[in-house]
């Protein structure tokens, strides 16, 4: 049997696919390899996956209905879907909302349609696991964020599309019994990370002696979650699809580190890893940003055995080491 991983050339997708291949699974990876950030990094991640046996890659845009629908006939052994492809990034959603509509709304539905078709086969679909985001909590003030909280007041368009993705999946779980698990990731970082996120932006600026942009004058907190902890949660979600007991077979979980860190303390950890001081360029709060993220992980611990162990003092140096070797600095 095989698992379809969308966004396989992305940061989390590559790591999750790598872990699945390492435990002997057959992985079919799809990705559009778009240029939201340098496609060379996506190609380098893919090369890592292509070195393992059991990996097949298809350059597909998930907004393309026919291409996604065709996967069911082409790969009849798919019994699970890990759907991570999306237009990510809070700030870019102010500039290019239609990129989010195409990948996160249209693309979400093409994947749900594929899941519905696969679930209708005699041997069914074991589960659809898909990425949501801590951004769905918007400006909620009750911390830590718990999955039961209302999430109908997003403060970014990105967050709105991720919340919409959850609601769309709920309807398919109800109508067609598609077993689905949504994972709300909290600021994921680590080797092979994303160039638009602060670990990368800060590390590159510190190494090159450029100032780093610090929003809200540094008065922010983030629940930074190390990639290996996230991958453990993703695999556990794939291995524990929800049952249709007293409602549609759809669950949503937080995957966060459960230890929010002050932005300035986090910058100090990057400075130590780079062995160089940062030059701070202080800015006011940005539209779409939130002051603090903090995951309540009681439900993911209970149902998925999720237990993140990596503090930023351990994870950030691993990212900086990777960054230096990737760029040969
Ligand atoms: N990294 C985080 O901190 C974080 C936090 C919350 C949620 N998420 C979610 O996790 C998932 C993975 O994020 P990531 O950090 O790995 O991002 P990423 O941008 O590195 O990976 C996403 C991948 O999806 C691909 N993609 C985008 N649109 C596509 C389309 N229409 N068709 C096919 N492929 C497409 C991209 O090329 C990219 O390789 C996303 O759904 C994202 O919204 C990430």
């Amino acid at each position: 049997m095989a698992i379809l991983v969308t966004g396989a050339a992305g940061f989390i997708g590559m790591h999750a696919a790598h872990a699945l291949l390492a435990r002997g699974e057959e992985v079919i990876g799809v990705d559009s390899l778009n240029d939201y950030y340098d496609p060379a990094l996506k190609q380098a991640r893919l090369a890592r996956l292509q070195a393992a046996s059991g990996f097949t890659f298809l350059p597909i845009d998930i907004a393309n209905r026919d291409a996604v629908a065709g996967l069911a006939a082409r790969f009849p052994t798919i019994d699970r879907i890990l759907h991570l492809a999306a237009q990510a990034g809070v700030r870019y959603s102010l500039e290019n909302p239609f990129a989010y509509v195409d990948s996160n709304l249209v693309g979400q539905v093409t994947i749900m349609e594929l899941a519905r078709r696969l679930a209708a086969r005699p041997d069914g679909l074991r589960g659809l696991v898909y990425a949501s985001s801590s951004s769905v909590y918007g400006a909620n003030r009750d911390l830590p964020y718990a999955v039961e909280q209302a999430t109908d007041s997003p403060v970014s368009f990105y967050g709105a599309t991720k919340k919409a993705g959850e609601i769309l999946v709920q309807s398919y779980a109800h109508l067609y019994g598609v077993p689905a698990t949504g994972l709300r990731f909290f600021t994921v970082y680590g080797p092979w990370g994303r160039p638009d996120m602060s670990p990368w932006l800060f590390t590159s600026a510190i190494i090159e002696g450029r100032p780093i942009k610090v929003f809200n004058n540094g008065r922010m907190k983030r629940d930074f979650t190390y990639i290996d902890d996230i991958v453990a949660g993703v695999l556990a979600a794939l291995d524990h699809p929800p049952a249709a007991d007293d409602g549609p077979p759809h669950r949503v979980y937080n995957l966060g580190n459960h230890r929010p860190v002050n932005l300035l303390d986090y910058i100090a950890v990057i400075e130590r890893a780079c062995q160089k001081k940062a030059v701070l360029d202080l800015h006011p709060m940005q539209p779409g940003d939130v002051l603090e993220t903090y995951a309540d992980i009681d439900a993911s611990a209970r149902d998925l055995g999720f237990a993140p162990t990596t503090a930023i003092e351990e994870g950030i140096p691993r990212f900086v080491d990777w960054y230096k070797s990737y760029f040969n600095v």
Side-chain angles (χ1 to χ4, degrees):
M1 298 316 269
I3 174 159
L4 175 70
V5 178
T6 73
F11 167 42
I12 301 174
M14 182 277 281
H15 282 284
H18 196 261
L20 288 163
L21 291 164
R23 70 179 199 184
E25 304 255 15
E26 187 189 338
V27 174
I28 294 142
V30 306
D31 201 295
S32 63
L33 302 172
N34 67 45
D35 64 359
Y36 166 62
Y37 61 78
D38 188 0
L41 175 62
K42 298 181 182 182
Q43 293 285 6
R45 294 191 190 116
L46 271 187
R48 208 166 165 251
L49 295 178
Q50 275 154 343
S53 68
F55 183 68
T56 306
F57 178 69
L58 301 162
I60 283 180
D61 187 327
I62 56 159
N64 180 333
R65 291 182 210 177
D66 294 338
V68 174
L71 293 170
R74 204 164 155 194
F75 298 101
T77 54
I78 295 174
D79 68 342
R80 284 151 298 158
I81 300 176
L82 174 57
H83 174 40
L84 300 172
Q87 178 58 58
V90 166
R91 289 178 195 137
Y92 184 61
S93 68
L94 304 170
E95 278 170 48
N96 189 358
F98 285 107
Y100 294 75
V101 172
D102 294 343
S103 294
N104 304 5
L105 300 180
V106 178
Q108 185 84 350
V109 178
T110 66
I111 296 300
M112 285 159 39
E113 266 295 292
L114 175 67
R116 177 174 76 85
R117 284 181 191 208
L118 295 173
R121 297 171 311 181
D123 41 356
L125 178 77
R126 278 166 62 194
L128 161 69
V129 173
Y130 68 94
S132 185
S133 167
S134 60
S135 298
V136 302
Y137 292 105
N140 285 14
R141 285 174 191 271
D142 271 355
L143 292 164
Y145 294 150
V147 279
E148 301 77 26
Q149 282 179 20
T151 48
D152 44 13
S153 305
V155 296
S156 69
F157 187 67
Y158 167 68
T161 64
K162 284 294 182 182
K163 178 63 192 177
E166 294 181 0
I167 299 287
L168 293 169
V169 169
Q170 174 71 14
S171 74
Y172 267 44
H174 171 76
L175 289 167
Y176 309 115
V178 173
T181 307
L183 301 175
R184 294 175 177 168
F185 298 138
F186 282 65
T187 321
V188 188
Y189 74 99
W192 298 95
R194 271 186 17 220
D196 61 330
M197 292 184 67
S198 69
W200 183 299
L201 294 170
F202 289 0
T203 299
S204 65
I206 291 172
I207 289 175
E208 292 162 24
R210 287 182 282 109
I212 60 174
K213 276 191 183 169
V214 178
F215 294 106
N216 204 35
N217 301 311
R219 286 193 301 276
M220 277 204 240
K221 279 180 157 188
R222 287 289 176 274
D223 201 355
F224 293 101
T225 315
Y226 191 65
I227 184 66
D228 292 1
D229 291 322
I230 287 290
V231 168
V234 168
L235 266 55
L238 284 166
D239 294 342
H240 299 93
D245 33 28
D246 52 355
H250 180 210
R251 304 284 178 277
V252 174
Y253 296 103
N254 287 333
L255 293 189
N257 200 43
H258 190 60
R259 293 176 197 87
V261 178
N262 281 309
L263 192 53
L264 295 178
D265 294 339
Y266 152 79
I267 291 169
V269 174
I270 302 183
E271 288 176 325
R272 279 200 294 281
C274 293
Q275 296 174 306
K276 205 167 162 189
K277 290 299 271 185
V279 181
L280 305 189
D281 179 14
L282 301 177
H283 287 261
M285 190 80 169
Q286 289 283 289
D289 258 354
V290 298
L291 279 177
E292 179 168 356
T293 64
Y294 180 8
D296 176 327
I297 55 172
D298 285 356
S300 35
R302 182 193 64 225
D303 295 351
L304 305 177
F306 180 63
T309 55
T310 317
I312 59 164
E313 288 76 8
E314 193 184 339
I316 287 290
R318 285 193 212 153
F319 169 75
V320 172
D321 285 350
W322 169 82
Y323 180 94
K324 285 181 172 168
S325 71
Y326 183 73
F327 286 108
N328 209 7
V329 287

